[in-house]
Amino acid sequence: MCIRDRYIISASFDKSLKLWDGFDGKFIATFRGHVGPVYQVAWSADSRLLVSGSKDSTLKVWDIKMKKLMFDLPGHADEVYTCLLYTSPSPRDRQKSRMPSSA
């Protein structure tokens, strides 16, 4: 299970991911596409995407808003036990980080 902002996502041996609203507990969606148990899930920094890793040797990238698979990433020779989704900061965010703080 993974919690991000207001969402809760779970990964399961039933080959699916399930998404709930963390404020009211309402079920939102099921994400299906893996053909083996799902071991791991990670959020993007902006909570728009998540990536899942599975016994089926793939990573899958999901769009939370559209509730659909964006990318299927095969290539591992064996099960995927962990994953991390890194999204680089937007140009606006990079500019903010360069601004000197006023003292």
Side-chain angles (χ1 to χ4, degrees):
M1 180 175 71
C2 201
I3 300 172
R4 181 68 181 217
D5 294 330
R6 71 172 292 157
Y7 298 111
I8 299 170
I9 189 89
S10 63
S12 176
F13 271 52
D14 72 2
K15 308 172 194 165
S16 74
L17 305 163
K18 298 217 181 253
L19 181 69
W20 288 272
D21 186 305
F23 291 152
D24 61 20
K26 290 185 180 176
F27 174 75
I28 297 172
T30 298
F31 297 86
R32 294 193 186 278
H34 284 290
V35 295
V38 183
Y39 296 138
Q40 181 75 1
V41 64
W43 295 96
S44 64
D46 61 8
S47 300
R48 293 183 313 161
L49 304 174
L50 57 97
V51 62
S52 55
S54 170
K55 182 177 181 174
D56 66 13
S57 305
T58 68
L59 292 164
K60 297 197 185 301
V61 180
W62 307 90
D63 182 305
I64 295 296
K65 184 177 179 183
M66 302 300 291
K67 299 177 185 73
K68 70 176 195 170
L69 179 65
M70 289 185 61
F71 304 106
D72 187 5
L73 306 172
H76 286 280
D78 207 344
E79 302 173 7
V80 179
Y81 284 102
T82 190
C83 53
L84 176 68
L85 182 58
Y86 174 79
T87 51
S88 61
S90 70
R92 189 182 84 207
D93 291 338
R94 284 193 297 267
Q95 183 63 31
K96 281 185 198 176
S97 68
R98 290 186 202 141
M99 292 180 161
S101 59
S102 57

